[in-house]
Structures are given as structure tokens and as C-alpha cells.
Amino acid sequence: MAGNQPDKLNQAKLIQLEKNQLKLQQEFAALRFFQAQKNNEVQTQSNADLIKEIEVLKQKISQIETVVSRPTAFPADAYPHLIVEQPPPLLDLPISKIIDIYHETPQILEVYCQRVSLLIDQEDVLEKNNVGNFWVMQLKNQGFYLFPRPESFSHFSSLASFAKLFKATNENPGENYQFTLQAPAKLDVLKIGEKWKLLKAGKIVFGQSPLEYAWQREITTVRTEYEKFNKLLDTRGSAGLDFTLITQYWQQSLMQKYGELVTLAINTCMPIAYAIYKGPTLVPCQILLGANPLVVPGWDRGVPWDTSIYSQSHSKFNKDYLRTTADHPLLPNQIYLRESNGKTHHTWAIAKSYEEATAIVQKLNGHWISLD
């Protein structure tokens, strides 16, 4: 009886182990079922998402096919924003400078231009044409301009489109087809790099070559200066001409040192004058009398206004200014200052330039009087 006791214990332990093993198998089977179920749910959701995405793509493809088969027309004002190709580089120069370059060396401008021609069925629309007779150039912040293409000079006078785009002086040039460009035509863009519309016709003069025209302008300028010096030479002689050049140099030096001339005062009782520059700075003047009086700077530098002899009795501002009557015999409606120290009484006419001061002295010459 005592010998059977261990066998019973071992048999009980074996039965318990079998129960535990069965329980683990059941739990493991339940876990696998749960995992399989979750996998099925995830797969089902993924399939649903994939189907939904495919439907969205189908709708987009359908929309694209509709647009391709029936394209929407763009409004005309949208064309300038449709860039079809890289445009030429922009020049940042004033149009007057561009015209000068066009007259002298037009080939320099070619890389900044596009060749165009006038549409046959429209009188004011130009389109890109690699063999066109005109250049379109866009200037920075200035818009689009049209120029005759230089290599086409020889037959411009016979082109019907030329007369529509440029107004000409001497419209019957005959055999002389050369011309100068007074102003290029002004354009508005319809489609960048493709089409432009004429806004304002250009201006040309037949019968002159561009380079000859440039030389003519230069010669005219030189001739004008030559005649001016000849007049000075006749009036003042060689010594007077030298003095005039010196005074012009002094005026330039004063402007460089002090800035613009503010005002000029001329004593109407005797030939004395001074100028006030910014600062303020006083510069004494010379009054040259004779047949042609002249007011010029006394030298090329000045003194501070506050330390000058006039600062106590004159005002550099217009608060103390007076004005003569409209029927004054010498200087009607003339602005002036009054100076009085108890012993003497003088008046000073006010001018804004040496030329205006000279005109005042010419009227006072021989009639130095108070303006009061």
C-alpha cells in the first residue's frame, strides 16, 4: 500500500501536464485565428483603398481626355503670359541712345532683336518671321519697339508694309533709298515671341544715310559753338575771350564746391554784386561795364555767409524781399532788398542766375538809382 503512493503522485502530475499542454494548444490556436482574422481585415481595407485610388485616377484620366478632345480657348489678354520660348536679352538704355547706336553700328543690336513681318491680312499686326524685314526689340521698363532691318535698306521704299509702319518725310526718294530713323514704331505684345500689334507708327526721313546724319548733327553742334566764340571774340577781343573762359571755369568750380547757385544780389546804386551758394556761402562778383555789361564771379571760392559783411543787413531768405511797381521805368516788378544804416540808403535787385543779373545791370547801366 505504501509502495503505490509515488505512482499515484506521478500519475496525477502527468494528468496535470496533459491538461496544461491542451490548454496551451487551445490558446495558441485561438491566437492564430485572431491573427488570421486581423490579416484578413487589413487586406480587405488595403484592397478597398486601392480600389478607391484607382477610381480617382480613372476620373482624372477621363477629365484629361475631355480637355484634349475639346480644348478651352484662352482669352486674347492671356496670350502675353504664355511664354513659348526664351526671349532675347533686354537692354536697359534710353531709346535715344538706342537710336544713336542704330544709326552708327546697327549690327550691335541684332542679338537683342527678333525678325518680324507684317501680316498680309492685317494692317497692324506683326508676327515672327526669320526672313522678315523688321526688328522687334524690347527695352527694360519701356516696352516694345519696331526698327527697319538695316540689311533691307535697299528695298524699303518699295515695301507696302513700310508705309503702314513708318511715316516718312520726302516720300518720293527715287533712287536714294537711304534714310534716318527719327523714332521707332511703338508696339504692344499679343503673344510673347510670336505676335505684336502696332500702337504708334515710327518716323523716318528719306534721303540721308544714318551715319551721315550723325556727322551732320555733330558738325552743327561744333559750328554753333564756333559761332558763339566768334561773337565773344568780336565783342571783347582775345583778352575778353580768355577772361570769359576763366569765368566759366570759375562758375563750374563754384558749383562743384558748393552746389547750385541760390540767389544773386546787385546793388542798384553802384556796380557791386554778390552771389549766395548753398551752405550758405557768399561769393563776390565782378560787374564789367562798357557797351555790353556782364556779371561774373569774382573768383572760384567763397566765404561763409554768417561771417560776411552783408549778413547783418541783408537776408538770405525772401522774407524781407520787396517788389517794384509794374510801371517802374527801369525794372518793373523787380524783387529787391532795402539796405539802410542811417547814413546811406541802397537797394539790391535779386536775380536767380548770372544771365539774369547781367540783364539787370544792362538796364541799370548809366542809371544807378535806388528802387524805392
mmCIF file of all heavy atoms in Angstrom, residues 38-82:
data_model
loop_
_atom_site.group_PDB
_atom_site.id
_atom_site.type_symbol
_atom_site.label_atom_id
_atom_site.label_comp_id
_atom_site.label_asym_id
_atom_site.label_seq_id
_atom_site.Cartn_x
_atom_site.Cartn_y
_atom_site.Cartn_z
ATOM 1 N N LYS A 38 -7.247 39.340 -38.231
ATOM 2 C CA LYS A 38 -6.726 40.714 -38.364
ATOM 3 C C LYS A 38 -6.091 40.913 -39.734
ATOM 4 O O LYS A 38 -6.276 41.949 -40.377
ATOM 5 C CB LYS A 38 -5.689 40.987 -37.269
ATOM 6 C CG LYS A 38 -6.279 41.076 -35.874
ATOM 7 C CD LYS A 38 -7.238 42.259 -35.721
ATOM 8 C CE LYS A 38 -6.486 43.575 -35.828
ATOM 9 N NZ LYS A 38 -7.392 44.732 -35.647
ATOM 10 N N ASN A 39 -5.353 39.884 -40.192
ATOM 11 C CA ASN A 39 -4.726 39.989 -41.504
ATOM 12 C C ASN A 39 -5.787 40.132 -42.596
ATOM 13 O O ASN A 39 -5.629 40.894 -43.552
ATOM 14 C CB ASN A 39 -3.843 38.764 -41.773
ATOM 15 C CG ASN A 39 -2.592 38.773 -40.905
ATOM 16 O OD1 ASN A 39 -2.200 39.813 -40.383
ATOM 17 N ND2 ASN A 39 -1.971 37.600 -40.748
ATOM 18 N N ASN A 40 -6.855 39.385 -42.454
ATOM 19 C CA ASN A 40 -7.941 39.486 -43.448
ATOM 20 C C ASN A 40 -8.569 40.882 -43.457
ATOM 21 O O ASN A 40 -8.892 41.444 -44.502
ATOM 22 C CB ASN A 40 -9.005 38.424 -43.161
ATOM 23 C CG ASN A 40 -8.523 37.021 -43.471
ATOM 24 O OD1 ASN A 40 -7.604 36.848 -44.287
ATOM 25 N ND2 ASN A 40 -9.121 36.019 -42.841
ATOM 26 N N GLU A 41 -8.726 41.463 -42.247
ATOM 27 C CA GLU A 41 -9.322 42.806 -42.156
ATOM 28 C C GLU A 41 -8.401 43.849 -42.803
ATOM 29 O O GLU A 41 -8.862 44.729 -43.533
ATOM 30 C CB GLU A 41 -9.573 43.159 -40.693
ATOM 31 C CG GLU A 41 -10.693 42.341 -40.060
ATOM 32 C CD GLU A 41 -10.871 42.659 -38.576
ATOM 33 O OE1 GLU A 41 -10.064 43.470 -38.050
ATOM 34 O OE2 GLU A 41 -11.777 42.107 -37.963
ATOM 35 N N VAL A 42 -7.092 43.741 -42.506
ATOM 36 C CA VAL A 42 -6.123 44.692 -43.104
ATOM 37 C C VAL A 42 -6.106 44.549 -44.608
ATOM 38 O O VAL A 42 -6.083 45.532 -45.359
ATOM 39 C CB VAL A 42 -4.714 44.457 -42.512
ATOM 40 C CG1 VAL A 42 -3.664 45.268 -43.283
ATOM 41 C CG2 VAL A 42 -4.690 44.806 -41.033
ATOM 42 N N GLN A 43 -6.094 43.332 -45.088
ATOM 43 C CA GLN A 43 -6.070 43.099 -46.536
ATOM 44 C C GLN A 43 -7.328 43.652 -47.195
ATOM 45 O O GLN A 43 -7.277 44.262 -48.263
ATOM 46 C CB GLN A 43 -5.954 41.596 -46.794
ATOM 47 C CG GLN A 43 -5.823 41.223 -48.269
ATOM 48 C CD GLN A 43 -4.528 41.753 -48.852
ATOM 49 O OE1 GLN A 43 -3.496 41.729 -48.184
ATOM 50 N NE2 GLN A 43 -4.572 42.246 -50.074
ATOM 51 N N THR A 44 -8.462 43.438 -46.512
ATOM 52 C CA THR A 44 -9.724 43.955 -47.053
ATOM 53 C C THR A 44 -9.693 45.484 -47.136
ATOM 54 O O THR A 44 -10.115 46.081 -48.128
ATOM 55 C CB THR A 44 -10.898 43.496 -46.166
ATOM 56 O OG1 THR A 44 -10.914 42.066 -46.110
ATOM 57 C CG2 THR A 44 -12.213 44.017 -46.707
ATOM 58 N N GLN A 45 -9.151 46.154 -46.083
ATOM 59 C CA GLN A 45 -9.060 47.621 -46.080
ATOM 60 C C GLN A 45 -8.115 48.118 -47.177
ATOM 61 O O GLN A 45 -8.397 49.102 -47.868
ATOM 62 C CB GLN A 45 -8.565 48.105 -44.706
ATOM 63 C CG GLN A 45 -8.502 49.628 -44.572
ATOM 64 C CD GLN A 45 -9.872 50.262 -44.683
ATOM 65 O OE1 GLN A 45 -10.863 49.706 -44.198
ATOM 66 N NE2 GLN A 45 -9.954 51.387 -45.367
ATOM 67 N N SER A 46 -6.959 47.418 -47.310
ATOM 68 C CA SER A 46 -5.991 47.808 -48.346
ATOM 69 C C SER A 46 -6.610 47.672 -49.727
ATOM 70 O O SER A 46 -6.420 48.524 -50.595
ATOM 71 C CB SER A 46 -4.737 46.928 -48.239
ATOM 72 O OG SER A 46 -4.105 47.110 -46.999
ATOM 73 N N ASN A 47 -7.336 46.597 -49.944
ATOM 74 C CA ASN A 47 -7.996 46.419 -51.235
ATOM 75 C C ASN A 47 -9.011 47.529 -51.497
ATOM 76 O O ASN A 47 -9.132 48.046 -52.617
ATOM 77 C CB ASN A 47 -8.687 45.056 -51.283
ATOM 78 C CG ASN A 47 -7.694 43.909 -51.309
ATOM 79 O OD1 ASN A 47 -6.516 44.114 -51.630
ATOM 80 N ND2 ASN A 47 -8.144 42.700 -50.958
ATOM 81 N N ALA A 48 -9.738 47.918 -50.429
ATOM 82 C CA ALA A 48 -10.734 48.999 -50.584
ATOM 83 C C ALA A 48 -10.049 50.321 -50.939
ATOM 84 O O ALA A 48 -10.508 51.063 -51.813
ATOM 85 C CB ALA A 48 -11.556 49.125 -49.308
ATOM 86 N N ASP A 49 -8.918 50.622 -50.245
ATOM 87 C CA ASP A 49 -8.180 51.863 -50.532
ATOM 88 C C ASP A 49 -7.639 51.858 -51.953
ATOM 89 O O ASP A 49 -7.643 52.881 -52.655
ATOM 90 C CB ASP A 49 -7.032 52.033 -49.543
ATOM 91 C CG ASP A 49 -7.525 52.306 -48.133
ATOM 92 O OD1 ASP A 49 -8.709 52.705 -47.986
ATOM 93 O OD2 ASP A 49 -6.727 52.144 -47.185
ATOM 94 N N LEU A 50 -7.115 50.712 -52.366
ATOM 95 C CA LEU A 50 -6.553 50.598 -53.717
ATOM 96 C C LEU A 50 -7.643 50.802 -54.760
ATOM 97 O O LEU A 50 -7.451 51.504 -55.762
ATOM 98 C CB LEU A 50 -5.881 49.237 -53.887
ATOM 99 C CG LEU A 50 -5.176 48.993 -55.223
ATOM 100 C CD1 LEU A 50 -4.091 50.030 -55.452
ATOM 101 C CD2 LEU A 50 -4.587 47.584 -55.261
ATOM 102 N N ILE A 51 -8.798 50.219 -54.537
ATOM 103 C CA ILE A 51 -9.916 50.373 -55.483
ATOM 104 C C ILE A 51 -10.352 51.840 -55.557
ATOM 105 O O ILE A 51 -10.609 52.378 -56.639
ATOM 106 C CB ILE A 51 -11.092 49.467 -55.049
ATOM 107 C CG1 ILE A 51 -10.703 47.991 -55.229
ATOM 108 C CG2 ILE A 51 -12.349 49.790 -55.847
ATOM 109 C CD1 ILE A 51 -11.713 47.028 -54.633
ATOM 110 N N LYS A 52 -10.381 52.501 -54.388
ATOM 111 C CA LYS A 52 -10.782 53.912 -54.352
ATOM 112 C C LYS A 52 -9.782 54.787 -55.119
ATOM 113 O O LYS A 52 -10.158 55.689 -55.873
ATOM 114 C CB LYS A 52 -10.865 54.369 -52.892
ATOM 115 C CG LYS A 52 -11.448 55.756 -52.709
ATOM 116 C CD LYS A 52 -11.598 56.063 -51.228
ATOM 117 C CE LYS A 52 -12.205 57.444 -51.037
ATOM 118 N NZ LYS A 52 -12.365 57.783 -49.594
ATOM 119 N N GLU A 53 -8.477 54.526 -54.922
ATOM 120 C CA GLU A 53 -7.440 55.297 -55.616
ATOM 121 C C GLU A 53 -7.510 55.083 -57.125
ATOM 122 O O GLU A 53 -7.341 56.009 -57.911
ATOM 123 C CB GLU A 53 -6.067 54.895 -55.082
ATOM 124 C CG GLU A 53 -4.928 55.749 -55.641
ATOM 125 C CD GLU A 53 -3.595 55.415 -55.001
ATOM 126 O OE1 GLU A 53 -3.577 54.649 -54.001
ATOM 127 O OE2 GLU A 53 -2.571 55.926 -55.490
ATOM 128 N N ILE A 54 -7.795 53.829 -57.534
ATOM 129 C CA ILE A 54 -7.924 53.535 -58.966
ATOM 130 C C ILE A 54 -9.093 54.314 -59.571
ATOM 131 O O ILE A 54 -8.999 54.851 -60.674
ATOM 132 C CB ILE A 54 -8.093 52.021 -59.177
ATOM 133 C CG1 ILE A 54 -6.779 51.285 -58.842
ATOM 134 C CG2 ILE A 54 -8.517 51.713 -60.611
ATOM 135 C CD1 ILE A 54 -6.890 49.768 -58.851
ATOM 136 N N GLU A 55 -10.176 54.419 -58.802
ATOM 137 C CA GLU A 55 -11.339 55.168 -59.293
ATOM 138 C C GLU A 55 -11.017 56.651 -59.472
ATOM 139 O O GLU A 55 -11.423 57.282 -60.451
ATOM 140 C CB GLU A 55 -12.516 54.995 -58.322
ATOM 141 C CG GLU A 55 -13.146 53.611 -58.316
ATOM 142 C CD GLU A 55 -13.713 53.257 -59.675
ATOM 143 O OE1 GLU A 55 -14.295 54.161 -60.339
ATOM 144 O OE2 GLU A 55 -13.579 52.095 -60.088
ATOM 145 N N VAL A 56 -10.265 57.217 -58.502
ATOM 146 C CA VAL A 56 -9.866 58.633 -58.613
ATOM 147 C C VAL A 56 -9.000 58.854 -59.849
ATOM 148 O O VAL A 56 -9.168 59.826 -60.600
ATOM 149 C CB VAL A 56 -9.117 59.078 -57.337
ATOM 150 C CG1 VAL A 56 -8.512 60.476 -57.536
ATOM 151 C CG2 VAL A 56 -10.056 59.073 -56.138
ATOM 152 N N LEU A 57 -8.035 57.961 -60.098
ATOM 153 C CA LEU A 57 -7.162 58.082 -61.271
ATOM 154 C C LEU A 57 -7.966 57.968 -62.565
ATOM 155 O O LEU A 57 -7.700 58.675 -63.544
ATOM 156 C CB LEU A 57 -6.070 57.006 -61.225
ATOM 157 C CG LEU A 57 -5.019 57.176 -60.126
ATOM 158 C CD1 LEU A 57 -4.071 55.975 -60.091
ATOM 159 C CD2 LEU A 57 -4.224 58.463 -60.339
ATOM 160 N N LYS A 58 -8.946 57.068 -62.564
ATOM 161 C CA LYS A 58 -9.793 56.936 -63.746
ATOM 162 C C LYS A 58 -10.531 58.242 -64.051
ATOM 163 O O LYS A 58 -10.660 58.661 -65.200
ATOM 164 C CB LYS A 58 -10.795 55.798 -63.543
ATOM 165 C CG LYS A 58 -10.210 54.410 -63.666
ATOM 166 C CD LYS A 58 -11.291 53.345 -63.485
ATOM 167 C CE LYS A 58 -10.733 51.929 -63.652
ATOM 168 N NZ LYS A 58 -11.788 50.894 -63.457
ATOM 169 N N GLN A 59 -11.027 58.908 -62.996
ATOM 170 C CA GLN A 59 -11.739 60.171 -63.184
ATOM 171 C C GLN A 59 -10.807 61.250 -63.745
ATOM 172 O O GLN A 59 -11.192 62.006 -64.643
ATOM 173 C CB GLN A 59 -12.330 60.629 -61.850
ATOM 174 C CG GLN A 59 -13.476 59.764 -61.342
ATOM 175 C CD GLN A 59 -13.987 60.219 -59.988
ATOM 176 O OE1 GLN A 59 -13.538 61.241 -59.467
ATOM 177 N NE2 GLN A 59 -14.926 59.465 -59.423
ATOM 178 N N LYS A 60 -9.576 61.316 -63.210
ATOM 179 C CA LYS A 60 -8.617 62.311 -63.709
ATOM 180 C C LYS A 60 -8.265 62.056 -65.165
ATOM 181 O O LYS A 60 -8.156 62.991 -65.969
ATOM 182 C CB LYS A 60 -7.357 62.297 -62.854
ATOM 183 C CG LYS A 60 -7.572 62.847 -61.447
ATOM 184 C CD LYS A 60 -6.270 62.888 -60.675
ATOM 185 C CE LYS A 60 -6.480 63.492 -59.291
ATOM 186 N NZ LYS A 60 -5.228 63.555 -58.507
ATOM 187 N N ILE A 61 -8.048 60.788 -65.524
ATOM 188 C CA ILE A 61 -7.750 60.446 -66.920
ATOM 189 C C ILE A 61 -8.905 60.842 -67.825
ATOM 190 O O ILE A 61 -8.721 61.373 -68.920
ATOM 191 C CB ILE A 61 -7.438 58.939 -67.048
ATOM 192 C CG1 ILE A 61 -6.123 58.608 -66.329
ATOM 193 C CG2 ILE A 61 -7.383 58.511 -68.496
ATOM 194 C CD1 ILE A 61 -5.827 57.123 -66.225
ATOM 195 N N SER A 62 -10.102 60.618 -67.342
ATOM 196 C CA SER A 62 -11.284 60.986 -68.123
ATOM 197 C C SER A 62 -11.351 62.491 -68.348
ATOM 198 O O SER A 62 -11.673 62.969 -69.437
ATOM 199 C CB SER A 62 -12.543 60.484 -67.409
ATOM 200 O OG SER A 62 -13.701 60.882 -68.116
ATOM 201 N N GLN A 63 -11.023 63.280 -67.307
ATOM 202 C CA GLN A 63 -11.025 64.743 -67.438
ATOM 203 C C GLN A 63 -9.971 65.215 -68.431
ATOM 204 O O GLN A 63 -10.217 66.111 -69.238
ATOM 205 C CB GLN A 63 -10.790 65.373 -66.067
ATOM 206 C CG GLN A 63 -11.939 65.178 -65.089
ATOM 207 C CD GLN A 63 -11.590 65.680 -63.690
ATOM 208 O OE1 GLN A 63 -10.467 66.112 -63.448
ATOM 209 N NE2 GLN A 63 -12.565 65.600 -62.783
ATOM 210 N N ILE A 64 -8.775 64.601 -68.359
ATOM 211 C CA ILE A 64 -7.704 64.984 -69.288
ATOM 212 C C ILE A 64 -8.108 64.666 -70.717
ATOM 213 O O ILE A 64 -7.879 65.469 -71.637
ATOM 214 C CB ILE A 64 -6.395 64.251 -68.914
ATOM 215 C CG1 ILE A 64 -5.886 64.768 -67.561
ATOM 216 C CG2 ILE A 64 -5.344 64.437 -69.996
ATOM 217 C CD1 ILE A 64 -4.713 63.989 -67.009
ATOM 218 N N GLU A 65 -8.693 63.507 -70.934
ATOM 219 C CA GLU A 65 -9.137 63.146 -72.281
ATOM 220 C C GLU A 65 -10.174 64.130 -72.802
ATOM 221 O O GLU A 65 -10.182 64.487 -73.982
ATOM 222 C CB GLU A 65 -9.707 61.726 -72.262
ATOM 223 C CG GLU A 65 -8.659 60.640 -72.074
ATOM 224 C CD GLU A 65 -9.279 59.249 -71.943
ATOM 225 O OE1 GLU A 65 -10.517 59.172 -71.741
ATOM 226 O OE2 GLU A 65 -8.529 58.261 -72.063
ATOM 227 N N THR A 66 -11.053 64.610 -71.918
ATOM 228 C CA THR A 66 -12.064 65.584 -72.335
ATOM 229 C C THR A 66 -11.426 66.901 -72.750
ATOM 230 O O THR A 66 -11.799 67.506 -73.754
ATOM 231 C CB THR A 66 -13.060 65.831 -71.178
ATOM 232 O OG1 THR A 66 -13.660 64.599 -70.811
ATOM 233 C CG2 THR A 66 -14.130 66.822 -71.593
ATOM 234 N N VAL A 67 -10.431 67.368 -71.961
ATOM 235 C CA VAL A 67 -9.747 68.628 -72.281
ATOM 236 C C VAL A 67 -9.000 68.521 -73.594
ATOM 237 O O VAL A 67 -9.005 69.442 -74.421
ATOM 238 C CB VAL A 67 -8.779 69.022 -71.135
ATOM 239 C CG1 VAL A 67 -7.902 70.196 -71.556
ATOM 240 C CG2 VAL A 67 -9.561 69.365 -69.879
ATOM 241 N N VAL A 68 -8.334 67.356 -73.804
ATOM 242 C CA VAL A 68 -7.571 67.171 -75.045
ATOM 243 C C VAL A 68 -8.496 67.150 -76.251
ATOM 244 O O VAL A 68 -8.204 67.714 -77.304
ATOM 245 C CB VAL A 68 -6.742 65.875 -74.965
ATOM 246 C CG1 VAL A 68 -6.117 65.551 -76.318
ATOM 247 C CG2 VAL A 68 -5.666 66.006 -73.894
ATOM 248 N N SER A 69 -9.629 66.499 -76.112
ATOM 249 C CA SER A 69 -10.556 66.396 -77.249
ATOM 250 C C SER A 69 -11.327 67.689 -77.486
ATOM 251 O O SER A 69 -11.694 68.005 -78.605
ATOM 252 C CB SER A 69 -11.540 65.238 -77.011
ATOM 253 O OG SER A 69 -12.311 65.483 -75.834
ATOM 254 N N ARG A 70 -11.527 68.478 -76.403
ATOM 255 C CA ARG A 70 -12.241 69.760 -76.536
ATOM 256 C C ARG A 70 -11.500 70.836 -75.743
ATOM 257 O O ARG A 70 -11.867 71.194 -74.635
ATOM 258 C CB ARG A 70 -13.674 69.619 -76.009
ATOM 259 C CG ARG A 70 -14.566 68.725 -76.851
ATOM 260 C CD ARG A 70 -15.961 68.643 -76.271
ATOM 261 N NE ARG A 70 -15.938 68.011 -74.950
ATOM 262 C CZ ARG A 70 -17.021 67.885 -74.185
ATOM 263 N NH1 ARG A 70 -18.180 68.377 -74.606
ATOM 264 N NH2 ARG A 70 -16.945 67.313 -73.002
ATOM 265 N N PRO A 71 -10.379 71.372 -76.296
ATOM 266 C CA PRO A 71 -9.557 72.340 -75.551
ATOM 267 C C PRO A 71 -10.319 73.639 -75.292
ATOM 268 O O PRO A 71 -11.095 74.093 -76.115
ATOM 269 C CB PRO A 71 -8.358 72.569 -76.490
ATOM 270 C CG PRO A 71 -8.873 72.211 -77.846
ATOM 271 C CD PRO A 71 -9.860 71.100 -77.635
ATOM 272 N N THR A 72 -10.042 74.257 -74.142
ATOM 273 C CA THR A 72 -10.671 75.540 -73.785
ATOM 274 C C THR A 72 -9.906 76.675 -74.445
ATOM 275 O O THR A 72 -8.679 76.751 -74.374
ATOM 276 C CB THR A 72 -10.647 75.726 -72.258
ATOM 277 O OG1 THR A 72 -11.333 74.628 -71.666
ATOM 278 C CG2 THR A 72 -11.322 77.031 -71.860
ATOM 279 N N ALA A 73 -10.613 77.603 -75.075
ATOM 280 C CA ALA A 73 -9.976 78.741 -75.743
ATOM 281 C C ALA A 73 -9.480 79.749 -74.703
ATOM 282 O O ALA A 73 -10.210 80.103 -73.781
ATOM 283 C CB ALA A 73 -10.977 79.418 -76.678
ATOM 284 N N PHE A 74 -8.199 80.223 -74.865
ATOM 285 C CA PHE A 74 -7.660 81.233 -73.966
ATOM 286 C C PHE A 74 -8.098 82.615 -74.449
ATOM 287 O O PHE A 74 -8.110 82.883 -75.640
ATOM 288 C CB PHE A 74 -6.118 81.184 -73.958
ATOM 289 C CG PHE A 74 -5.592 80.014 -73.195
ATOM 290 C CD1 PHE A 74 -5.252 78.847 -73.857
ATOM 291 C CD2 PHE A 74 -5.438 80.071 -71.822
ATOM 292 C CE1 PHE A 74 -4.763 77.758 -73.168
ATOM 293 C CE2 PHE A 74 -4.938 78.992 -71.126
ATOM 294 C CZ PHE A 74 -4.610 77.831 -71.808
ATOM 295 N N PRO A 75 -8.437 83.515 -73.528
ATOM 296 C CA PRO A 75 -8.758 84.886 -73.943
ATOM 297 C C PRO A 75 -7.536 85.588 -74.505
ATOM 298 O O PRO A 75 -6.400 85.239 -74.170
ATOM 299 C CB PRO A 75 -9.232 85.553 -72.628
ATOM 300 C CG PRO A 75 -8.607 84.725 -71.546
ATOM 301 C CD PRO A 75 -8.544 83.322 -72.088
ATOM 302 N N ALA A 76 -7.749 86.594 -75.353
ATOM 303 C CA ALA A 76 -6.631 87.274 -76.021
ATOM 304 C C ALA A 76 -5.676 87.919 -75.037
ATOM 305 O O ALA A 76 -4.468 87.927 -75.253
ATOM 306 C CB ALA A 76 -7.187 88.333 -76.989
ATOM 307 N N ASP A 77 -6.210 88.463 -73.932
ATOM 308 C CA ASP A 77 -5.324 89.152 -72.991
ATOM 309 C C ASP A 77 -4.452 88.195 -72.185
ATOM 310 O O ASP A 77 -3.603 88.617 -71.423
ATOM 311 C CB ASP A 77 -6.136 90.029 -72.032
ATOM 312 C CG ASP A 77 -7.189 89.217 -71.278
ATOM 313 O OD1 ASP A 77 -7.306 88.001 -71.521
ATOM 314 O OD2 ASP A 77 -7.883 89.819 -70.450
ATOM 315 N N ALA A 78 -4.679 86.885 -72.338
ATOM 316 C CA ALA A 78 -3.836 85.910 -71.630
ATOM 317 C C ALA A 78 -2.614 85.520 -72.435
ATOM 318 O O ALA A 78 -1.658 84.986 -71.890
ATOM 319 C CB ALA A 78 -4.656 84.654 -71.303
ATOM 320 N N TYR A 79 -2.632 85.793 -73.756
ATOM 321 C CA TYR A 79 -1.520 85.371 -74.613
ATOM 322 C C TYR A 79 -0.168 85.930 -74.195
ATOM 323 O O TYR A 79 0.837 85.236 -74.258
ATOM 324 C CB TYR A 79 -1.801 85.731 -76.070
ATOM 325 C CG TYR A 79 -2.806 84.795 -76.716
ATOM 326 C CD1 TYR A 79 -3.847 85.299 -77.489
ATOM 327 C CD2 TYR A 79 -2.714 83.420 -76.541
ATOM 328 C CE1 TYR A 79 -4.787 84.452 -78.069
ATOM 329 C CE2 TYR A 79 -3.646 82.575 -77.117
ATOM 330 C CZ TYR A 79 -4.674 83.098 -77.885
ATOM 331 O OH TYR A 79 -5.576 82.274 -78.446
ATOM 332 N N PRO A 80 -0.056 87.221 -73.782
ATOM 333 C CA PRO A 80 1.275 87.714 -73.399
ATOM 334 C C PRO A 80 1.915 86.932 -72.263
ATOM 335 O O PRO A 80 3.112 86.994 -72.071
ATOM 336 C CB PRO A 80 0.983 89.161 -72.980
ATOM 337 C CG PRO A 80 -0.257 89.525 -73.713
ATOM 338 C CD PRO A 80 -1.063 88.252 -73.775
ATOM 339 N N HIS A 81 1.102 86.189 -71.493
ATOM 340 C CA HIS A 81 1.653 85.447 -70.367
ATOM 341 C C HIS A 81 2.049 84.025 -70.746
ATOM 342 O O HIS A 81 2.527 83.265 -69.901
ATOM 343 C CB HIS A 81 0.637 85.424 -69.223
ATOM 344 C CG HIS A 81 0.170 86.787 -68.837
ATOM 345 N ND1 HIS A 81 0.953 87.679 -68.132
ATOM 346 C CD2 HIS A 81 -1.002 87.438 -69.091
ATOM 347 C CE1 HIS A 81 0.294 88.798 -67.942
ATOM 348 N NE2 HIS A 81 -0.894 88.682 -68.516
ATOM 349 N N LEU A 82 1.821 83.635 -71.982
ATOM 350 C CA LEU A 82 2.178 82.291 -72.431
ATOM 351 C C LEU A 82 3.530 82.339 -73.120
ATOM 352 O O LEU A 82 3.634 82.635 -74.307
ATOM 353 C CB LEU A 82 1.111 81.752 -73.398
ATOM 354 C CG LEU A 82 -0.318 81.711 -72.836
ATOM 355 C CD1 LEU A 82 -1.282 81.228 -73.889
ATOM 356 C CD2 LEU A 82 -0.377 80.815 -71.605
#
